[in-house]
Amino acid sequence: MTFKLCVSSFLKERATVHDRIRHTGLLEKRMSAAAAAALIKPGMTVAMSGFTGAGYPKAVPQALASQMEEVHAKGESFKIKVLTGASTAPELDGVLAKVGGMELRLPYMSDPALRKRINDGELDYMDIHLSHVAQHTWFGFYGGINIAIVEVVGILEDGRLIPSSSVGNNKTWLDMADAVIIEVNSQQSAAMEGMHDIYYGTALPPHRMPIQLTEPEDRIGVPYLHVDTEKIIAVVETNAPDRLSAFAAPDEASNQIADHLLDFLDGEIAKGRMSDKLLPLQSGVGNIANAVLAGLSRGGYRGLKAYTEVIQDGMLELIKDGTLAFASATSFSLSEAGIEEFNRNVDFYRERIVFRTQEISNHPELIRRLGCIALNGMIEADIYGNVNSTHVVGSHVMNGIGGSGDFARNGFLSVFMSPSTAKGGKISGIVPMASHVDHTEHDTMILITEQGLADLRGLAPKQRARVIVEKCAHPDYKPMLEDYFARASRDSYGKHTPHLLGEALSWHQRFIDTGDMRP
Amino acid sequence: MTFKLCVSSFLKERATVHDRIRHTGLLEKRMSAAAAAALIKPGMTVAMSGFTGAGYPKAVPQALASQMEEVHAKGESFKIKVLTGASTAPELDGVLAKVGGMELRLPYMSDPALRKRINDGELDYMDIHLSHVAQHTWFGFYGGINIAIVEVVGILEDGRLIPSSSVGNNKTWLDMADAVIIEVNSQQSAAMEGMHDIYYGTALPPHRMPIQLTEPEDRIGVPYLHVDTEKIIAVVETNAPDRLSAFAAPDEASNQIADHLLDFLDGEIAKGRMSDKLLPLQSGVGNIANAVLAGLSRGGYRGLKAYTEVIQDGMLELIKDGTLAFASATSFSLSEAGIEEFNRNVDFYRERIVFRTQEISNHPELIRRLGCIALNGMIEADIYGNVNSTHVVGSHVMNGIGGSGDFARNGFLSVFMSPSTAKGGKISGIVPMASHVDHTEHDTMILITEQGLADLRGLAPKQRARVIVEKCAHPDYKPMLEDYFARASRDSYGKHTPHLLGEALSWHQRFIDTGDMRP
């Protein structure tokens, strides 16, 4: 079913700042970011909007960081717990990390300053499946939420909120928080009004019902976020763009990975396992994902659908050229050029994109029903197909698991991709034993490096090892892996998943000691 | 909704052997087990019924094993690929393993002879989430199925099959196999007729629809298995009981683990997170599971529900005393005494038990909707909560992951339980780093040993480590774990998930070298 847009307000005119707040009571709650930030106290749990650098609050966190610095200068502590949708930007994670203002942060993150703090052991970071965050908050597993800070495009007369460039966990934050601070960002395109689909059918067990979505384009909710306006303690006007996502041309390794994947998909179609419309695509972000998307367009695919988390510039191009007929996501992470393109052809895109809460975009029920093709990056895989998505040498977290587990476990296909080496060859993407496991052998079907593609479906551990080393390992590391596997197959305690525990992690230790996994 | 039983045939009279095959065409296809086994050729993929020692074919696999031995005696090879629901029994896995008649076996297994072959590296074993097996077979990931061998209680006039004491993957095997051998076992209680609920609404993506089940007792299917009778190439009459599951009294450690869990559940109720009816229970099998079930009865719980895989004697007792109001499962794994109890009070139990296909009993969509409490055993957990369910010292597989991943990832609560030590103290159940990971830190909420309970919800890795070591470690190992964590926190490459890779697996290596994890 498609949804005929029939929204009433912001599209008709070029909205001015004041047009964006139409609820008279809330107009009176306008205040400066500093005044709003002053409502946040040490120890509070603060839930913020934001997903992959889009739709995060731009002003209050910065004002809060300044106030924290003043308190810290007096020798006192001022830290809060921060919950988000996923990664945000320097104006949120960056500033709060720099002033040491967070004691806990969850879930996915990507800010360099925040990452450094976490890996220096200075703040606690919880890495969580993105589909789990909202429900675990409801379940009470993280305690209550004192304040939610949510960026929106505008506020309607009756207090309903027009969601911004990401939805993330905003519905849950608004429902659960004791108090709410709204940032109304007049830089966010008013043309997004009506493109969101906020599902209000979730419940706590034992009261849950089937989610009646059967196609990526189905609408099962409403275009607005609801909030008890009595809970709103501040409205802050902002006028700043999302952090720009630069859209780099894919490198050679990424293009080779994309070519392997496209060959594989052609083969699956030839075997009758999928039609030439494939199945709904989930695509991570970054270089390889962009190369894969570009490859689908080059490869002549048309009329595909995406059921994914993020729409970046590359996906907008696919929609434009007909490769993608429809895309469902939870976040719109566009560069400045992407935003311009969207605004230029807004009527076209509005019919072909929907934004959902992340509990729906990442819901196991829906990913399994739709049969998504899950395309995600990895840090390393071991010879048995266990995948490390998060930790360099087992202890240093990069970004987090994000939604990769939601899609890999439940999709029709789970694909993990990485160049076969990193740091100029000093790190192998294929190792004897993964130094941290995010996706077990039970959840990984296809591994791809620029060297080739390993199809692990229907294979037992030792069969997997032979295929992974043969197809995916870099020539510098292949003899080392073959040697390890041969000796392990001979000398291992058990011969089902052969390992030599004394050296299974020695490559990682060598990298720590010498800066190179190679002897 | 409850289902009023209105079945017509086997219950009314005490069935004789011949009453069990009412389809005249199929009566003519009766043959000996040896003649049926002779239809199976080397290299074939053979899918068999059976789940946790219940409902597996009793005669044809044994006849096949004899024929394989004869072929092997001539110096020729005779191996097949074997797919099942889960573990079977000596008469299937045992005999085929002993004669070296399997080249591939999937999924879960527990037969000692089979386990030995696998860990000697002599046959390939694929460990798969139980919810994945049927769909991955449909997807074509394991190739086609040449022959299905399925035990049933009886065959109706129109060829529909009365399922036996387990359903497992039988629907999929019957649908997908090129040819079918039916074993009609007159020892299986005819009173089971009507207790099964076979869901025929599954489909391949993109044609999947919501599964409209919202309570463990809901019926969404039919009581019989369908099969194209043209595909049936043999009907074999048998008269042998399922392998008897001895029901041992729980030991002291199991009772202590049960007590910790019951205290915890009481606390959750007190905090308002669950009602005193809890949420649907999934319980693994074995000593600890039995202790937990007995504890629920002792603790005064009444009117609970189970949405689980196996109904053993312990669960039957809970149904009898009102602790459990209803149980949904895929297998009925009873001892001789349990079968007698069931037959004595058959009208009572028939209203309170349903058996489903394992794709439904273990379906992520349904487990998440129902909000199951997932109670599973483990081999070891590491200090960060990564759980190893399958591999001793990382290489020797015990049984397999079974449905633990289906329930742990999707349930309301995921609980993993184990004594804090094994082999008289020589193995610690809590280790610095898991030697194999089946359930990642993202999927484990509660760990319990006889020492105590670690509640990991809302905790970041280092917080988890402190709680796990404090609550769950055995006193012999606690100082060693504290020392490891302290040094890792100081010297680790990254301080998010501190590890010393040079010694992270040294406990396991020490056990291999000396037979004891302690220095």
Side-chain angles (χ1 to χ4, degrees), chain A residues 212-410:
Chain A
Q212 308 289 351
L213 181 149
T214 58
E215 299 281 350
E217 64 268 32
D218 283 354
R219 283 182 169 266
I220 56 175
V222 295
Y224 304 104
L225 286 161
H226 298 163
V227 61
D228 174 1
T229 54
E230 296 292 311
K231 293 204 302 192
I232 297 179
I233 55 174
V235 175
V236 177
E237 290 168 326
T238 67
N239 188 16
D242 283 332
R243 177 184 59 149
L244 305 180
S245 306
F247 191 60
D251 58 16
E252 194 189 339
S254 298
N255 280 329
Q256 289 170 322
I257 289 170
D259 287 344
H260 295 311
L261 176 65
L262 293 164
D263 282 350
F264 167 78
L265 293 174
D266 288 346
E268 292 293 293
I269 294 169
K271 292 188 185 88
R273 290 186 183 147
M274 287 186 282
S275 80
D276 62 3
K277 296 283 184 284
L278 300 177
L279 283 163
L281 299 167
Q282 174 258 335
S283 169
V285 299
N287 242 348
I288 296 175
N290 286 335
V292 166
L293 295 176
L296 288 168
S297 171
R298 256 198 337 270
Y301 284 97
R302 290 297 177 270
L304 310 183
K305 293 177 185 176
Y307 194 81
T308 190
E309 296 164 318
V310 183
I311 293 177
Q312 290 190 295
D313 290 27
M315 212 169 260
L316 216 56
E317 289 178 17
L318 294 204
I319 295 172
K320 190 170 190 182
D321 74 11
T323 308
L324 272 184
F326 198 90
S328 166
T330 190
S331 175
F332 210 12
S333 193
L334 299 178
S335 72
E336 202 173 337
I339 294 170
E340 279 169 22
E341 164 60 24
F342 169 72
N343 284 327
R344 247 194 322 274
N345 295 293
V346 64
D347 291 337
F348 177 82
Y349 290 115
R350 284 170 56 82
E351 294 283 342
R352 289 165 178 80
I353 296 171
V354 67
F355 297 110
R356 310 179 186 280
T357 60
Q358 77 191 61
E359 63 184 328
I360 296 297
S361 68
N362 285 49
H363 204 297
E365 172 175 342
L366 304 177
I367 294 165
R368 177 151 165 159
R369 182 178 304 149
L370 296 171
C372 291
I373 298 175
L375 305 170
N376 290 290
M378 63 179 178
I379 289 175
E380 64 186 8
D382 68 26
I383 56 173
Y384 300 112
N386 298 288
V387 164
N388 174 4
S389 295
T390 58
H391 283 67
V392 174
V393 297
S395 57
H396 175 104
V397 68
M398 283 304 295
N399 300 337
I401 193 169
S404 56
D406 300 321
F407 286 92
R409 172 75 64 91
N410 298 295

Side-chain angles (χ1 to χ4, degrees), chain B residues 432-449:
Chain B
M433 177 184 268
S435 60
H436 180 92
V437 177
D438 294 289
H439 308 288
T440 72
E441 53 168 325
H442 313 284
D443 294 318
T444 59
M445 296 181 197
I446 312 288
L447 301 184
I448 316 180
T449 69

Side-chain angles (χ1 to χ4, degrees), chain A residues 103-104 118-129 131-132 135-136 139-143 204-215 268 273 278-280 359 362-365 368-371 386 390-397 401 405-406 408-413 423 433-443 445 456-464 466 492-502 504-505 508-509 511-512, chain B residues 103-104 118-129 131-132 135-136 139-143 204-215 268 273 278-280 359 362-365 368-371 386 390-397 401 405-406 408-413 423 433-443 445 456-464 466 492-502 504-506 508-509 511-512:
Chain A
E103 60 178 89
L104 178 75
I118 292 168
N119 286 302
D120 286 348
E122 294 169 7
L123 78 90
D124 283 315
Y125 167 60
M126 275 194 71
D127 191 18
I128 307 168
H129 298 297
S131 75
H132 278 178
Q135 72 166 5
H136 288 185
F139 294 167
F141 295 171
Y142 311 140
L204 292 175
H207 305 295
R208 285 182 167 165
M209 301 302 289
I211 302 170
Q212 308 289 351
L213 181 149
T214 58
E215 299 281 350
E268 292 293 293
R273 290 186 183 147
L278 300 177
L279 283 163
E359 63 184 328
N362 285 49
H363 204 297
E365 172 175 342
R368 177 151 165 159
R369 182 178 304 149
L370 296 171
N386 298 288
T390 58
H391 283 67
V392 174
V393 297
S395 57
H396 175 104
V397 68
I401 193 169
D406 300 321
R409 172 75 64 91
N410 298 295
F412 177 85
L413 286 174
K423 297 230 180 233
M433 177 184 268
S435 60
H436 181 94
V437 177
D438 295 289
H439 308 289
T440 71
E441 53 167 326
H442 313 283
D443 295 318
M445 295 181 198
L456 309 178
R457 296 173 298 172
L459 300 186
K462 291 191 289 293
Q463 298 172 314
R464 291 175 150 233
R466 289 182 201 106
S492 177
Y493 179 87
K495 305 283 192 295
H496 176 57
T497 306
H499 267 306
L500 302 172
L501 298 181
L505 299 171
H508 301 88
Q509 187 60 49
F511 176 80
I512 294 172
Chain B
E103 60 177 90
L104 178 76
I118 292 168
N119 286 302
D120 286 347
E122 294 170 7
L123 78 89
D124 283 314
Y125 167 61
M126 275 194 72
D127 190 19
I128 307 168
H129 298 297
S131 77
H132 277 179
Q135 72 166 5
H136 287 184
F139 294 168
F141 294 172
Y142 310 140
L204 293 176
H207 304 295
R208 286 182 168 166
M209 301 302 289
I211 302 169
Q212 307 290 351
L213 180 150
T214 59
E215 300 281 351
E268 292 294 291
R273 289 185 183 147
L278 301 178
L279 284 164
E359 64 184 328
N362 285 49
H363 203 296
E365 172 176 342
R368 178 152 165 158
R369 182 180 304 147
L370 295 171
N386 299 288
T390 58
H391 283 66
V392 174
V393 296
S395 57
H396 176 103
V397 69
I401 193 168
D406 299 321
R409 173 75 64 88
N410 297 296
F412 178 84
L413 286 174
K423 297 229 180 233
M433 177 184 268
S435 60
H436 180 92
V437 177
D438 294 289
H439 308 288
T440 72
E441 53 168 325
H442 313 284
D443 294 318
M445 296 181 197
L456 309 179
R457 296 172 299 171
L459 300 186
K462 291 191 290 292
Q463 297 172 313
R464 291 175 151 234
R466 288 181 202 107
S492 176
Y493 179 86
K495 305 283 192 295
H496 175 57
T497 306
H499 267 306
L500 303 172
L501 298 182
L505 299 171
S506 62
H508 301 87
Q509 186 62 49
F511 176 80
I512 295 171

Side-chain angles (χ1 to χ4, degrees), chain B residues 314-471:
Chain B
M315 212 169 259
L316 217 56
E317 289 178 15
L318 294 203
I319 295 172
K320 190 169 190 183
D321 75 11
T323 308
L324 272 184
F326 197 91
S328 166
T330 190
S331 175
F332 210 13
S333 193
L334 298 179
S335 73
E336 203 173 336
I339 292 169
E340 279 169 22
E341 164 60 25
F342 170 72
N343 283 327
R344 250 196 317 275
N345 296 292
V346 64
D347 290 338
F348 176 81
Y349 290 115
R350 284 170 57 83
E351 294 283 341
R352 290 165 177 82
I353 295 171
V354 67
F355 297 110
R356 310 179 186 281
T357 60
Q358 76 190 62
E359 64 184 328
I360 296 298
S361 68
N362 285 49
H363 203 296
E365 172 176 342
L366 304 177
I367 294 165
R368 178 152 165 158
R369 182 180 304 147
L370 295 171
C372 291
I373 298 176
L375 305 171
N376 290 290
M378 62 179 178
I379 289 176
E380 64 185 9
D382 69 25
I383 56 174
Y384 300 112
N386 299 288
V387 164
N388 173 6
S389 296
T390 58
H391 283 66
V392 174
V393 296
S395 57
H396 176 103
V397 69
M398 284 302 295
N399 300 336
I401 193 168
S404 56
D406 299 321
F407 285 92
R409 173 75 64 88
N410 297 296
F412 178 84
L413 286 174
S414 71
V415 180
F416 288 93
M417 303 173 286
S418 166
S420 69
T421 60
K423 297 229 180 233
K426 292 174 182 161
I427 290 179
S428 177
I430 309 297
V431 293
M433 177 184 268
S435 60
H436 180 92
V437 177
D438 294 289
H439 308 288
T440 72
E441 53 168 325
H442 313 284
D443 294 318
T444 59
M445 296 181 197
I446 312 288
L447 301 184
I448 316 180
T449 69
E450 84 289 350
Q451 299 291 321
L453 180 148
D455 181 354
L456 309 179
R457 296 172 299 171
L459 300 186
K462 291 191 290 292
Q463 297 172 313
R464 291 175 151 234
R466 288 181 202 107
V467 173
I468 292 171
V469 175
E470 168 65 23
K471 301 286 189 183

